[in-house]
Amino acid sequence: MSGYYYYSGCPDHYEAHYLDACSVCGKSLHNSDIFMYRGNTPFCSKECRQEQMEIDEAREKKLKSGRSLRKSDSKSSTPNKTVRTGIVT
């Protein structure tokens, strides 16, 4: 048995690896091409990867537009502060 490895681990305790399934559709990635996005996100096809890219773009646009609305709201609103000047005796 030289050169062969024996695995005595229990298959019931298998921990999923992040490259086991497509991040969008969940399709198994074993024995197939893997398309990656943003470093560590696996996909089964260019289409699934493109779908995730579009989701991320929409999320970023929404986040940016929310930030710009809050900034413009704070600039356009005038605070109701009373400033008193004078000498207190």
Side-chain angles (χ1 to χ4, degrees), residues 64-78:
K64 285 180 183 178
S65 69
R67 285 183 188 158
S68 66
L69 283 176
R70 280 182 265 157
K71 284 181 183 178
S72 66
D73 287 346
S74 64
K75 288 179 183 177
S76 66
S77 66
T78 55

Side-chain angles (χ1 to χ4, degrees), residues 20-34:
D20 283 344
C22 176
S23 293
V24 171
C25 69
K27 180 181 171 184
S28 174
L29 297 175
H30 292 289
N31 300 322
S32 65
D33 289 338
I34 298 175

Side-chain angles (χ1 to χ4, degrees), residues 21 25-26 28-30 37 43 52 70-71 81 83 85 88:
C25 69
S28 174
L29 297 175
H30 292 289
Y37 172 60
F43 301 95
Q52 184 63 51
R70 280 182 265 157
K71 284 181 183 178
K81 294 183 181 177
V83 178
T85 59
V88 178

Side-chain angles (χ1 to χ4, degrees), residues 39-84:
N40 61 356
T41 309
F43 301 95
C44 65
S45 66
K46 290 179 183 178
E47 291 79 17
C48 280
R49 182 179 62 186
Q50 184 63 36
E51 184 176 336
Q52 184 63 51
M53 290 167 77
E54 290 169 1
I55 290 169
D56 289 350
E57 277 183 32
R59 184 179 299 136
E60 287 172 11
K61 265 187 179 177
K62 184 177 179 182
L63 199 74
K64 285 180 183 178
S65 69
R67 285 183 188 158
S68 66
L69 283 176
R70 280 182 265 157
K71 284 181 183 178
S72 66
D73 287 346
S74 64
K75 288 179 183 177
S76 66
S77 66
T78 55
N80 294 331
K81 294 183 181 177
T82 304
V83 178
R84 297 180 185 198

